[in-house]
């Protein structure tokens, strides 16, 4: 359900961005603005600026910028809807939902109230478990035996559920309260003989690991036995506040370390997370007794652009890695990194570091297997590439994996790698995957510039002289029949409204530039980002409905009404790789816009630089370096 734009404007106007950000970042007054160390990247000199007059933040180091809602989304990993609700709650405002019926609104309010109540019950149980840990010599000795300090136990809120069937009755006087069963703390079963309901504690004689959401609220528990009993680990069941397919243990505690380290390490157990945090790897999280899902990966990429999965080197570890590969592939864009770390079968991360040291493990992480390599390894498993049948089997295995990748350079390169191993060219492999009949000509028959190797002109499949779709040097590009957009900003609007999913593949610098465009263009891109966070990518037909009544609706309607607009225009039917052409067109356009933006920013700094302002000079040099990088990229692509 969408949130009225008028409410969002009112909320942002009422919220004090300095106060909101000041809860997470130490800010100091510097002229008209406040400055601090950026929470989104490591730095020693403050480059993070918060403007009370504009109610806006901007980091001159990493380029992240936005309002109070954007900060909460970026810093806590919340969705747009979650960030709005959190901010509204802080200011005593009720979030309206303009397309919801009264019954839906009532149900939503009831659900929010229940979630708040359940987290309160779980927090109360967590406090009780922590008190029990202090009183249990046996549990404390167990943690010390695993090498954990009291400091790290406190950081993660570890506790102990003592032996006995109804210990929580001393914590909750009304032990029959349905909330105890609904939160997963208590199990209810009918008595075999009397049929009466029996109630008892789910967690007994276990070390307790509170599972927190990205806001730090306790939403469930993991319990580990102190001995060799089975099951070794026990999780809370699925509840209105907890879903193991979406949550990751330790993400709340690791969120700042992820930005400092530059990557997240995903392990398979709670103890790995806690032990690695103590041993110098606080950027570690764990799945909750389930395979890594696309939802897990998507959540991780809210905090970092690099993910390293750590698995045991045995067969079970390889199977878990294979499932993680499936979950990661849809998000493996050109600006993200996914790697797979396989430890020796006799070690887990904790034991490896204690045996070989922190530096050795760090090297192991740095040398982890890239996603591109692991994809090929997974596809070729059991295939004899020395035989035609084995290569055909490999091609069949690789197709569904390759199809999961988003469009971009990585996908194109992997197509070439797979084709080489299959001993076909990329066109032939694509035809095989699409089920098309084989082309009449084999790879290598033709040389460059449309000539056959015997010097005769090359013909296409219709018997006409072959012509490359890419203009040769000194050859004027052929007209495409598409109208040029009125401006680069309009062009960006057309591409991103036609292909909204492309927004997630852009970098922070691109997002900041588009959202800060003057007038209706900037407002439209801010709105588009909020729509994506709330609803995911949508086709233009659905976006146009949501745009009704927005101040930038006329702009969007005008641009999309042009005869060259829409998905079909952005991806001609004759293209073999329409998604890749779109990505390249958008990248080239944004690079040109970035060049214009950087030149404008440099011009604004000239006066301050000429007066000896050291900060302005430093910023000017950074912009100049970025301008050179863009020029080199453009030259390489030419």
């Amino acid at each position: 359900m969408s949130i009225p734009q008028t409410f969002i404007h009112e909320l942002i106007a009422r919220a004090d961005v300095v106060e909101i950000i000041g809860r997470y970042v130490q800010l100091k007054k510097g002229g008209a603005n406040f400055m601090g160390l950026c929470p989104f990247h490591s730095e020693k000199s403050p480059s993070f600026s918060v403007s009370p007059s504009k109610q806006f933040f901007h980091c001159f180091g990493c380029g992240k910028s936005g309002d109070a809602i954007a900060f909460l989304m970026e810093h806590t990993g919340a969705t747009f809807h979650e960030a709005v609700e959190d901010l509204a709650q802080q200011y005593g405002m009720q979030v309206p939902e303009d397309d919801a019926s009264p019954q839906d609104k009532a149900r939503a309010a009831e659900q929010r109230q229940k979630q708040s109540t359940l987290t309160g019950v779980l927090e109360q149980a967590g406090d009780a478990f922590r008190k029990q840990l202090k009183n249990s010599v046996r549990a404390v000795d167990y943690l010390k035996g695993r090498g954990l300090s009291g400091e790290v136990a406190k950081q993660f809120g570890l506790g102990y559920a003592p032996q006995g069937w109804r210990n929580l009755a001393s914590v909750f006087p009304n032990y029959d309260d349905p909330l105890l069963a609904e939160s997963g703390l208590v199990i209810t079963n009918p008595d075999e003989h009397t049929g009466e309901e029996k109630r008892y504690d789910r967690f007994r004689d276990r070390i307790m690991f509170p599972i927190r959401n990205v806001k730090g609220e306790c939403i469930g528990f993991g319990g580990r036995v102190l001995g060799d009993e089975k099951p070794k680990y026990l999780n809370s069941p699925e509840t209105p506040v907890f879903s193991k397919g979406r949550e990751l243990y330790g993400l709340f505690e690791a969120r700042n370390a992820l930005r400092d380290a530059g990557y997240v390490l995903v392990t398979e157990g709670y103890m790995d997370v806690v032990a690695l945090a103590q041993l110098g790897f606080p950027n570690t999280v764990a799945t909750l007794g389930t395979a890594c899902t696309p939802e897990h990966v998507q959540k991780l990429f809210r905090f970092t652009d690099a993910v390293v999965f750590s698995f045991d080197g045995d067969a079970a570890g390889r199977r878990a890695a294979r499932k993680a590969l499936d979950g990661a592939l849809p998000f493996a864009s050109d600006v993200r990194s996914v790697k797979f770390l396989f430890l020796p079968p006799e070690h887990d991360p904790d034991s490896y570091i204690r045996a070989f040291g922190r530096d050795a493990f760090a090297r192991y992480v740095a040398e982890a297997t890239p996603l591109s390599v692991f994809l090929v390894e997974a596809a070729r498993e059991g295939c004899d590439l020395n035989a035609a049948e084995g290569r055909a089997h490999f091609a069949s295995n690789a197709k569904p994996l390759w199809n999961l990748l988003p469009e971009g350079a990585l996908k194109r390169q992997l197509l070439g790698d797979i084709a080489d191993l299959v001993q076909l060219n990329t066109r032939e492999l694509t035809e095989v995957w699409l089920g098309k009949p084989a082309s009449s000509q084999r790879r290598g028959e033709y040389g460059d510039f449309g000539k056959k190797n015997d010097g005769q002109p090359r013909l296409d499949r219709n018997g006409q002289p072959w012509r490359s779709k890419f203009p040769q040097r000194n050859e004027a590009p052929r007209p495409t029949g598409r109208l040029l957009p009125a401006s680069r900003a309009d062009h960006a609007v057309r591409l991103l409204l036609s292909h909204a999913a492309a927004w997630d593949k852009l970098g922070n610098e691109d997002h900041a530039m588009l959202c800060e465009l003057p007038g209706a263009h900037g407002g439209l891109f801010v709105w588009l980002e909020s729509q994506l966070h709330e609803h995911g990518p949508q086709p233009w037909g659905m976006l146009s409905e949501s745009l009704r009544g927005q101040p930038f609706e006329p702009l969007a309607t005008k641009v999309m009404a042009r005869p060259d607009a829409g998905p079909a225009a952005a991806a001609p039917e004759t293209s073999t790789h329409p998604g890749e052409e779109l990505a390249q067109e958008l990248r080239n356009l944004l690079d040109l816009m970035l060049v214009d933006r950087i030149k404008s920013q440099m011009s604004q700094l000239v006066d301050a630089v000429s007066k000896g302002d050291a900060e302005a000079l430093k910023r000017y040099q950074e912009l100049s370096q970025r301008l050179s990088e863009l020029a080199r990229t453009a030259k390489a692509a030419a």
Side-chain angles (χ1 to χ4, degrees), residues 541-617:
M542 294 180 67
L543 288 172
S544 63
E545 289 298 319
S546 300
L547 269 168
R548 294 189 186 280
Q550 301 290 350
F552 30 76
E553 180 190 3
L555 167 66
T557 304
K558 179 193 75 173
V559 171
M560 297 304 289
R562 291 175 59 85
D564 61 335
E573 291 182 4
T574 55
S575 170
T576 308
H577 301 282
E580 294 172 10
E581 291 187 356
L582 164 74
Q584 191 58 54
E585 181 181 4
L586 182 59
R587 183 69 268 154
N588 292 342
L589 170 67
L590 294 180
D591 283 348
L592 291 172
M593 295 176 71
L594 284 170
V595 167
D596 291 343
R597 183 175 189 249
I598 291 171
K599 287 180 178 178
S600 173
Q601 291 174 337
M602 291 174 72
S603 297
Q604 295 171 17
L605 290 169
V606 169
D607 269 353
V609 171
S610 64
K611 294 175 183 176
D613 187 325
E615 286 295 323
L617 176 60

Side-chain angles (χ1 to χ4, degrees), residues 102-116:
Q103 294 83 358
D104 287 339
K105 291 180 181 179
R107 279 194 293 269
E110 183 181 352
Q111 179 72 5
R112 285 193 293 269
Q113 179 60 42
K114 176 166 282 188
Q115 289 175 342
S116 176

Side-chain angles (χ1 to χ4, degrees), residues 30 40 97 120 154 161 182 356 373 492 586:
F40 306 123
E97 287 137 350
K154 181 178 180 181
E182 196 168 356
F356 300 103
V373 175
L586 182 59

